[in-house]
Amino acid sequence: MFDDAADERFRGLMRAAQDGDRAAYASLLRELAGPLRAFCRRRLPTQEDAEDTVQEVLVTLHRARATFDPSRPFRPWIVTIARRRIADRLALIRRIGPASEIDEAAEVTSATAEANTYEGELTGEELRAAIAALPPGQRQALELTKLKELSLAEASAESGLSITALKVATHRAVASLKRRFAGKKDVPE
Amino acid sequence: MTRKTDTEALIGRLAAEAAPVRRLKPPALRAALFLLGAGIVLAGIVAWHGLNPGLRRDMAEPAAMMSWMAALATGIAAVFAAFAVALPDRSPRWALLPVPLAMLWASGLGLGCYADWIRSGPDGLHIGDSFDCFLAILVMSLLVGGPLILLLRHARLIRPVLTAAMGGLAVASLSSAALELFHRSDARIMDIAWHVAAVALIVAIGSGAGAATRPAAKRTA
């Protein structure tokens, strides 16, 4: 992923970051993003998947930063984390397809005006009941991204879920509502 | 590309909220401290029940002694393995450490079953008091497993299933070894079966719980 000189530098930055040096931490994350992007890109089908995974790796690095021992090399530590998040992403792709497809589905349902047209054809009561019947994760995602109209980043900050998780849960919630109202007319595709 | 901008924004946010963190102590030291604590708790339970009166006679049999030592050693090795595999820069091959000991333990249990079968035949196959072994191992495992989960919580980001399986094996085999000290066991097949069932159940619960805590699992929400 990177050479020994870079390893030495990252190790120093990580040690400083553990001690609370935010500037060192920001440098570490910025300098690491490039090699991580290349590492992820080689193992994942799309650029979007790679970039999402880089973000997941950075978040994991952040949460697990107390587990790094600065007397040991940095590379094995970060490579294991990157491999774990790549494996998670590959599992996600097997379940629901590559990122670009998820995004297309999310875009179809992202206009709030469209979301509101459900009420035109269905009663508000029916829609509320259908939303209430969704699994809690999907309901939360739908409420945050559609009903409260938060951006994905805001919704992610509020819920603690990753951006990908929110996209997938919203996508599933909308798909489930569509299935439920499949017999009704004028439900937007 | 918006995603790259997102990454930049994420880096800014992470750096802004980066409070100092206390580095974890070396895994071997943490494992040793946990073993000390677990040893005190289990010794307390053994003392409260009182030692099995037939213990000296039971342990005089080399096979029984070997089986007990193997259970204890499996537990100790699994604790060290759990603390190692929980860290990203340690090899997952640490999980192999308790395997030969667990095999030795299992072979000792197998011998016990065989001896009981020769002695009592199918008459030995009744549940009787053996179910108590199962419950006792479960309760002791939960007691020492709770703190272990706390100590290994960061592993959910790294190798949750392997770490939890090692942790489960650790607490179940330590509990099984402790139980031997206060529970009168004639190495009957059903006793052994319940020991094995309890250990297997705890390892399975641990692995399942580990899988459920994986960050990726949230995506299916």
Side-chain angles (χ1 to χ4, degrees), chain B residues 6-38:
Chain B
D6 284 351
T7 307
E8 279 301 308
L10 176 71
I11 288 172
R13 211 177 68 228
L14 294 180
E17 66 184 44
V21 288
R22 198 149 53 150
R23 291 178 198 105
L24 294 183
K25 296 269 180 282
L29 177 64
R30 304 180 76 227
L33 289 174
F34 169 76
L35 278 169
L36 183 68

Side-chain angles (χ1 to χ4, degrees), chain A residues 30-183:
Chain A
R30 282 208 185 88
E31 290 177 33
L32 196 56
L36 272 180
R37 199 168 279 132
F39 188 82
C40 293
R41 186 64 192 95
R42 278 200 297 278
R43 289 160 177 82
L44 290 165
T46 71
Q47 194 76 50
E48 289 78 6
D49 282 305
E51 198 62 35
D52 282 354
T53 307
V54 168
Q55 294 175 19
E56 305 279 6
V57 173
L58 294 176
V59 169
T60 306
L61 178 158
H62 182 73
R63 291 192 184 146
R65 65 195 192 280
T67 68
F68 178 67
D69 175 354
S71 68
R72 298 169 68 92
F74 181 68
R75 194 168 37 214
W77 189 83
I78 193 67
V79 164
T80 299
I81 290 177
R83 284 189 198 284
R84 298 308 299 189
R85 296 295 81 90
I86 288 169
D88 290 347
R89 170 60 59 150
L90 288 171
L92 186 73
I93 291 170
R94 276 196 297 278
R95 283 209 305 273
I96 58 167
S100 50
E101 290 173 24
I102 304 169
D103 290 348
E104 278 166 30
E107 274 160 24
V108 168
T109 59
S110 63
T112 47
E114 268 185 17
N116 289 337
T117 59
Y118 284 107
E119 302 243 16
E121 303 299 327
L122 308 164
T123 68
E125 201 58 41
E126 279 178 307
L127 188 57
R128 268 191 289 279
I131 292 174
L134 290 171
Q138 291 181 17
R139 193 170 66 232
Q140 185 195 20
L142 195 68
E143 282 169 355
L144 291 170
T145 57
K146 300 293 174 208
L147 305 183
K148 289 171 80 175
E149 297 183 25
L150 299 180
S151 73
L152 282 170
E154 288 166 331
S156 170
E158 181 158 322
S159 63
L161 292 167
S162 71
I163 289 170
T164 315
L166 283 165
K167 277 182 194 165
V168 172
T170 309
H171 171 51
R172 288 190 172 166
V174 171
S176 160
L177 291 178
K178 275 185 189 164
R179 269 198 306 279
R180 185 169 175 141
F181 295 119

